[in-house]
Amino acid sequence: MKIKADLHNHLSTLSNIPKEFNKVLDIAKKRLGKNGILGIINGGDDNRYENFINLRGYEKQNIGNAIYVPEKEILVLRGQELFLKQGHILILGLKSNIKSKNENLEYLLKSTKDNNGIIIAAHLFFFGGIGPYLEKNPELLKYFDGIEIHNGEAFYGNKKAKNFYNKIKNDYDIGACSFQDGHSLYEIGLSYTCLEQPFFENSDKLNSSLRKSIRKHKDFSKDNQHFSIFGSLDHSLKYLPIEILLKLGLVKNYVK
């Protein structure tokens, strides 16, 4: 059975997590439907996923790397976005954050796979995208399960990401993903990927079945690809000063 998945959401900028657990689930159910999956992504080393699922609200079943909310029939998946010097990557389905400081990229990717994590290349040719690095080092694509060919907050780069994916999709076991990358409640589920429903009896089955579904997803014609101009402008205005400080070497890490 096909379900809708928006696996790249931060809910807010700079880790100011909204306190309305039920409201987030209500929006997710409305946009993603029965058995939809919402990925809540920690920005770097923050704990916004953990902070969110600990809020009071609907009954939830914790399976380690995700929670299931029976009343809304929605799965909320744990993720992390790593801000590497080579570019940003999404790690989905691990139970704790990866410490990525000064790690060799290939070692980091391999160790993530060894721990059953799902790896997605985020907004390839937008701010902080890993696309240029992968163009020069295509051998690293073997570690990736999916490429974000549409990012709902990227006001440039999505077309180039699609073209890049179409060039490599027949050479690698890698799927096409359309996610919103939302930083506000109104962006939840505006962009989504239609995947086969994964199993979620436990964390290992969830990761294995979700990875398989993502990798098989090469036709993105039925996915929803929404561009949020207001969300993009709002997040960019908050993010740009931090990016300037990073370039100047005045800060060494940040949360998205």
Side-chain angles (χ1 to χ4, degrees), residues 126-180:
F126 188 53
F127 286 134
I130 200 171
Y133 190 82
L134 291 178
E135 285 182 315
K136 296 177 182 177
N137 301 274
E139 69 279 2
L140 295 178
L141 285 166
K142 65 185 178 183
Y143 294 107
F144 286 83
D145 302 299
I147 284 178
E148 200 175 60
I149 53 93
H150 175 83
N151 179 290
E153 288 209 348
F155 52 81
Y156 69 86
N158 283 332
K159 183 177 180 180
K160 189 171 182 179
K162 290 183 178 75
N163 291 338
F164 177 78
Y165 177 75
N166 285 328
K167 287 180 182 178
I168 62 93
K169 67 180 181 181
N170 293 323
D171 298 321
Y172 297 92
D173 187 15
I174 191 167
C177 300
S178 300
F179 302 142
Q180 185 59 32

Side-chain angles (χ1 to χ4, degrees), residues 57-199:
Y58 296 124
E59 178 187 350
K60 59 194 78 119
Q61 299 169 359
N62 196 329
I63 60 173
N65 62 350
I67 60 166
Y68 181 67
V69 181
E71 186 170 340
K72 291 296 172 177
E73 300 175 293
I74 291 289
L75 189 75
V76 179
L77 178 69
R78 186 190 188 281
Q80 181 185 10
E81 185 167 2
L82 300 181
F83 309 122
L84 309 174
K85 63 181 180 180
Q86 298 90 349
H88 296 195
I89 61 174
L90 294 181
I91 305 296
L92 303 175
L94 294 186
K95 296 179 181 179
S96 60
N97 283 343
I98 292 174
K99 302 297 182 182
S100 60
K101 188 176 180 181
N102 300 323
E103 290 282 12
N104 172 273
L105 177 59
E106 186 163 12
Y107 173 81
L108 181 69
L109 295 171
K110 185 178 185 302
S111 62
T112 300
K113 301 305 288 187
D114 290 343
N115 285 288
N116 203 21
I118 297 167
I119 302 175
I120 309 290
H123 48 77
L124 266 71
F125 299 101
F126 188 53
F127 286 134
I130 200 171
Y133 190 82
L134 291 178
E135 285 182 315
K136 296 177 182 177
N137 301 274
E139 69 279 2
L140 295 178
L141 285 166
K142 65 185 178 183
Y143 294 107
F144 286 83
D145 302 299
I147 284 178
E148 200 175 60
I149 53 93
H150 175 83
N151 179 290
E153 288 209 348
F155 52 81
Y156 69 86
N158 283 332
K159 183 177 180 180
K160 189 171 182 179
K162 290 183 178 75
N163 291 338
F164 177 78
Y165 177 75
N166 285 328
K167 287 180 182 178
I168 62 93
K169 67 180 181 181
N170 293 323
D171 298 321
Y172 297 92
D173 187 15
I174 191 167
C177 300
S178 300
F179 302 142
Q180 185 59 32
D181 193 6
H183 291 76
S184 62
L185 296 189
Y186 69 84
E187 294 173 280
I188 291 170
L190 289 177
S191 296
Y192 57 76
T193 302
C194 296
L195 299 173
E196 291 295 330
Q197 183 179 359
F199 302 105

